[in-house]
Amino acid sequence: MVSATGMIAVLGGCGTTGSSDVTIRLVAADYGDSAANSSQKYWDRLAKAYEATHSDVEVDVTVYSWNDVDRKVKDMVAAGKAPDLAQIGSYADYAAAGDLYEAGDLLSIPVQADFPSQLAEAGQWNHAQYGIPFAASTRVLFYNKTLFSEAGITTPPTTWNELAADAKALKADGVRYPYALPLGSEEAQAETMQWLLSGGGGYTDDIGTYTIDSSENVDTFTWLKDELVGKGLTGPTAPGRLNRATAFADFADGQVGMLNGHPTLIKQAEKKGVKFGAVPMPARAGQSTTTASMGVTDWMAAFRQNGHADQVGDFLDYVYSEKNVLDFSREYGLLPVTTSASQTMTDSSRTQDKQLRPFLDQLPTSELYPAGKTSWAATSADVKKQIGAAVTATGDPSAVLTRLQAEAAAADSRTKSD
């Protein structure tokens, strides 16, 4: 489904230790890009430290890639074998089915109050919080400073027209991907949303009604088709077949001039010695870049089936301690989801924390996926499958967006009537 990083490392495993009175079973997503930094290692360390002071509790963690984790949890729930906790991309469908604990039934008051209101509200279904924010990111435009300099570009773009002009200059200088446009199945819904916001549109209106085929959104994808893709400025791979992980790897290899990225790209690029800059996503002329920021939050969901509310709540209080939130954020280059950890990172003099500040500054005003809609999981999947067709040579942006709107509205109607 949706991840704050979009990483798709195919890693998994299971960590258990000792015997206990109660076993908390946690299924989590992998934020690592190799075996060396698999999230399994993070959770195993955390579980061991927790168990050291809670001899009556065992924490059993299984980590799956983002390609698999949401499906695995869905299958477990369908089979009547729900985990106690699932760290996944969505929660609303489980909340609507009555499968989840409310956050207030589990978390201590100080921990629950530590979530920024924007993130806590995004975790609400039917006016109650079921989704507990776990990891967050925002998106900015990364650009390769060396390639820009070689192409004679002195400043990063602030508007779409400037972005297109820069991409044209990069192409003329032989850059393989002047602008990488990943609309492949991995995370097309994120690239799509960023462009929709920068064009003054979005997936929904202010009251949460789908507006996928709005005139602003159609204009956005028409511009992408005509001014970027149609002019050969997005590289040799068709956007519908280009995934985020591949685009990131190509940027780190010095083959991409510009792309939208989240904080984990910093480490990836630095490891390869790429000199890069990061600026807000350029906007349509007349549209402010400060209103075009996209945020992504992944979720922790607690299932009621096994009835371990007290133990799960105590473990979650530990997971969301300032130290542990900061440790996870720093390990994977993500943004803290608690106010206390965010403030510590803001005040920090650590180089890594300073690099995350442009993303952290955007988070309070960024727009998140409509995760509280039970139809969002199906709508996101449809976007992944279909949006790439909107920018092909024979594609019709209006027809594609109209079809997606109809499917989203139908899914919304079904979930509301269930």
Side-chain angles (χ1 to χ4, degrees):
M1 290 299 300
V2 180
S3 79
T5 65
M7 302 307 293
I8 58 168
V10 286
L11 298 165
C14 181
T16 63
T17 59
S19 60
S20 61
D21 298 328
V22 171
T23 297
I24 297 173
R25 302 192 185 279
L26 165 65
V27 174
D30 202 333
Y31 291 83
D33 57 9
S34 68
N37 69 342
S38 165
S39 293
Q40 186 72 54
K41 292 187 175 182
Y42 169 83
W43 284 111
D44 285 348
R45 290 195 304 269
L46 194 73
K48 184 177 180 180
Y50 181 79
E51 291 168 350
T53 56
H54 297 78
S55 59
D56 58 334
V57 176
E58 176 183 335
V59 182
D60 182 338
V61 184
T62 305
V63 171
Y64 295 103
S65 79
W66 273 108
N67 276 345
D68 301 320
V69 66
D70 289 283
R71 175 177 53 81
K72 292 285 189 180
V73 172
K74 183 178 181 180
D75 290 346
M76 291 175 190
V77 174
K81 298 179 180 179
D84 295 286
L85 289 166
Q87 188 268 296
I88 46 180
S90 62
Y91 66 86
D93 47 350
Y94 298 121
D99 294 333
L100 303 182
Y101 285 109
E102 289 187 33
D105 293 337
L106 303 171
L107 301 173
S108 66
I109 292 175
V111 169
Q112 191 172 11
D114 204 18
F115 296 115
S117 59
Q118 176 216 24
L119 299 185
E121 289 171 5
Q124 292 182 359
W125 176 81
N126 202 24
H127 308 294
Q129 185 183 353
Y130 292 91
I132 305 171
F134 181 73
S137 71
T138 58
R139 306 298 164 97
V140 299
L141 183 78
F142 282 77
Y143 65 97
N144 185 311
K145 289 185 175 181
T146 301
L147 297 180
F148 264 51
S149 178
E150 291 173 350
I153 306 170
T154 56
T155 58
T158 60
T159 67
W160 286 1
N161 289 339
E162 290 176 2
L163 185 149
D166 291 346
K168 184 178 179 181
L170 291 164
K171 180 183 178 182
D173 202 47
V175 176
R176 190 162 184 251
Y177 289 93
Y179 177 85
L181 182 66
L183 295 178
S185 60
E186 177 194 329
E187 210 198 11
Q189 83 289 344
E191 185 74 14
T192 296
M193 182 170 172
Q194 182 62 81
W195 277 99
L196 297 184
L197 291 174
S198 70
Y203 285 123
T204 62
D205 60 18
D206 291 341
I207 61 173
T209 302
Y210 284 116
T211 55
I212 298 173
D213 62 347
S214 69
S215 59
E216 293 87 354
N217 293 346
V218 172
D219 288 347
T220 292
F221 266 83
T222 300
W223 187 90
L224 281 173
K225 177 188 174 183
D226 294 344
E227 301 301 325
L228 286 188
V229 182
K231 293 183 178 179
L233 302 180
T234 55
T237 304
R241 295 199 301 270
L242 181 65
N243 282 325
R244 175 79 61 193
T246 301
F248 275 21
D250 287 340
F251 184 85
D253 286 338
Q255 300 183 63
V256 175
M258 297 175 282
L259 84 169
N260 284 321
H262 48 65
T264 58
L265 184 55
I266 294 174
K267 282 187 177 181
Q268 205 169 341
E270 286 183 336
K271 191 181 298 183
K272 293 291 188 74
V274 173
K275 296 180 179 179
F276 63 88
V279 295
M281 172 66 181
R284 187 197 304 272
Q287 176 78 17
S288 170
T289 57
T290 61
T291 62
S293 173
M294 185 187 95
V296 176
T297 302
D298 301 328
W299 303 100
M300 184 74 77
F303 288 86
R304 301 172 61 91
Q305 179 180 315
N306 301 315
H308 297 150
D310 291 342
Q311 293 84 0
V312 168
D314 189 72
F315 177 64
L316 286 176
D317 279 356
Y318 180 75
V319 168
Y320 285 99
S321 69
E322 181 179 325
K323 176 185 181 301
N324 287 330
V325 171
L326 282 171
D327 284 350
F328 181 86
S329 300
R330 287 165 173 165
E331 175 73 21
Y332 297 104
L334 292 165
L335 304 181
V337 293
T338 62
T339 301
S340 59
S342 295
Q343 188 60 54
T344 297
M345 183 173 282
T346 298
D347 295 339
S348 171
S349 61
R350 293 170 54 138
T351 299
Q352 181 188 12
D353 291 346
K354 289 180 179 179
Q355 289 176 323
L356 290 174
R357 283 181 192 166
F359 302 90
L360 198 59
D361 291 343
Q362 285 191 140
L363 188 59
T365 58
S366 64
E367 184 166 336
L368 303 174
Y369 294 122
K373 294 175 74 66
T374 54
S375 58
W376 172 241
T379 298
S380 176
D382 287 339
V383 171
K384 291 180 181 182
K385 293 175 184 176
Q386 300 181 45
I387 197 63
V391 296
T392 62
T394 58
D396 182 343
S398 180
V400 172
L401 294 177
T402 297
R403 183 167 62 250
L404 286 169
Q405 171 68 21
E407 292 170 352
D412 211 24
S413 179
R414 286 194 304 273
T415 56
K416 286 178 179 178
S417 64
D418 288 343

